[in-house]
Amino acid sequence: MSEYVLPPPPQASVSVLGRPERYAVRRIYCVGQNYAEHSREMGSDPQKVPPFFFAKPADAVFEPALQGAMPFPGMTDNLHHEVEWVVALGQPLYQATPAACAAAVWGHTVGLDLTRRDLQAAAKAGGKPWDMSKGFDHSAVLAPLQPLEGPLPTAGAIALSVNGEARQQGDLSDLIWPVPELLARLSQYVALQPGDLVFTGTPAGVGPLRPGDVVLASIDGLPPLRLELARV
Ligand code: MN
C-alpha cells in the first residue's frame, strides 16, 4: 500500500435523495451560454456561439441542506446567481455518441453556478482565465442528487427567485445544446468518468446577490434548492 507525505484530502461528494450513500465527485464541468435569451443578455449572438466549457474544483461543492448559510464570497462586488440543471455521470464517456451520453447520466439536480461577474467581466476584457470568477470556494451550490429513473427529461420549467422576487425563468426545452449533444461535445475534449458533474447552462435573468439574501431555485420534478447567504 502506498503512503502519502500528508493525509490525503477528503473526497468531495454530494448527497443522494433517499440513499445513505453519497455520490463521489471527480470533476465539475460547466457550459457557457446554453440558453439563447441568456446569451443575448451577456452580449453574444446565440447563433454564433458553439458550446464552450469551463470547470470548477470538485471541492467547490456546497450543500446548503447540510452546511447551512453560505459565507459571502470575498473579492467581488457583483456576485451573480445562475440557476442550472446539473447532471451526474454514471459511466465513462470519451468521444461518445449523444445516445451513449444520454444513457450515461446517473442522476440530476438543481444547482447554482455562482459567479463573480465583476471578475469575469475583467477576465473577458483582458483575455484572462475565468478560474477566479467561476471556480472559487462554495461556487457549485447543489441540492441532493436524484437518481434518474427513465429517460432524461427534455422539458420542464427552471426558475430562481431571490427573497421571493422572481429573477430567472426558462424551460429545459430551451437548451441550445440539449444534454446528450452537450455531453457528446464535451467528451471530444476530455474523457468523462463516473463522478463528473455537468452544469448545463443558465436561463436569462442573472443578477446580483447580497449578504442575507435567500435564493430559491427550482426545476420541475426535482426538489427545490434553497440557499441563504450569511450576513457579513
Ligand atoms: Mn453558468
Side-chain angles (χ1 to χ4, degrees), residues 88-93 100 103-106 192-195:
L89 299 188
Q91 294 171 36
L93 293 170
V105 176
W106 182 86
L192 300 170
Q193 295 289 341

Side-chain angles (χ1 to χ4, degrees), residues 50-169:
F52 61 93
F53 300 98
F54 56 93
K56 294 175 185 276
D59 68 354
V61 165
F62 186 82
E63 291 189 278
L66 295 181
Q67 294 173 263
M70 194 181 98
F72 200 87
M75 296 300 289
T76 185
D77 293 318
N78 199 16
L79 179 72
H80 269 208
H81 53 76
E82 295 191 358
V83 59
E84 309 206 3
W85 185 30
V86 179
V87 297
L89 299 188
Q91 294 171 36
L93 293 170
Y94 183 60
Q95 299 181 344
T97 63
C101 292
V105 176
W106 182 86
H108 58 155
T109 192
V110 183
L112 296 178
D113 165 17
L114 291 182
T115 303
R116 289 163 166 158
R117 194 71 73 202
D118 42 0
L119 297 195
Q120 186 196 32
K124 284 181 178 178
K128 302 235 167 60
W130 284 15
D131 303 52
M132 294 300 110
S133 64
K134 287 288 198 179
F136 53 95
D137 298 337
H138 307 152
S139 61
V141 184
L142 292 168
L145 284 179
Q146 178 158 296
L148 192 64
E149 290 166 5
L152 264 180
T154 53
I158 176 169
L160 178 143
S161 68
V162 179
N163 304 328
E165 175 196 340
R167 291 270 190 93
Q168 293 191 260
Q169 270 171 325

